[in-house]
């Protein structure tokens, strides 16, 4: 699997709750390997990729402007175009 295969996958919890689509991810190079740290969900994640969202004042943001981060360690499995994650602790 390539990292770009994760883009546009649907992310759901183990109990079936839909979290959104993957628009971006964060990764860090460790030695010679690239390790995924977070999946970024929500339409605004693509804007964050280019740094444009960071400069918008919080009072001017819309509800859909939110970028949801899912830690890679919460990924349970990948079923085709669906990524299943543990439900976050409340």
């Amino acid at each position: 699997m390539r990292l770009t295969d994760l883009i546009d996958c649907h992310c759901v919890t183990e109990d079936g709750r839909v979290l959104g689509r993957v628009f971006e991810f964060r990764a860090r190079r460790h030695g010679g390997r690239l390790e995924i740290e977070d999946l970024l969900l929500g339409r605004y994640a693509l804007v964050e990729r280019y740094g444009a969202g960071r400069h918008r004042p919080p009072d001017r943001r819309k509800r859909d402007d939110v970028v949801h981060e899912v830690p890679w360690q919460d990924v349970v499995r990948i079923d085709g175009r669906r990524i299943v994650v543990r439900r976050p602790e409340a």
Side-chain angles (χ1 to χ4, degrees), residues 28-70:
R28 185 167 281 159
R29 189 171 301 280
H30 292 278
R33 293 179 36 196
L34 196 61
E35 295 181 9
I36 300 172
E37 293 182 337
D38 299 298
L39 299 175
L40 304 180
L41 313 178
R43 288 178 274 180
Y44 211 65
L46 185 59
V47 176
E48 285 287 322
R49 169 192 245 178
Y50 299 108
R54 295 186 187 112
H55 304 293
R56 193 170 189 185
D59 61 333
R60 301 287 313 266
R61 294 182 186 170
K62 299 176 186 169
R63 189 177 67 86
D64 291 340
D65 288 353
V66 177
V67 175
H68 300 282
E69 299 177 15
V70 176

Side-chain angles (χ1 to χ4, degrees), residues 18-33:
V18 176
L19 299 177
R21 284 192 353 229
V22 177
F23 279 89
E24 185 59 276
F25 54 85
R26 283 198 191 108
R28 185 167 281 159
R29 189 171 301 280
H30 292 278
R33 293 179 36 196

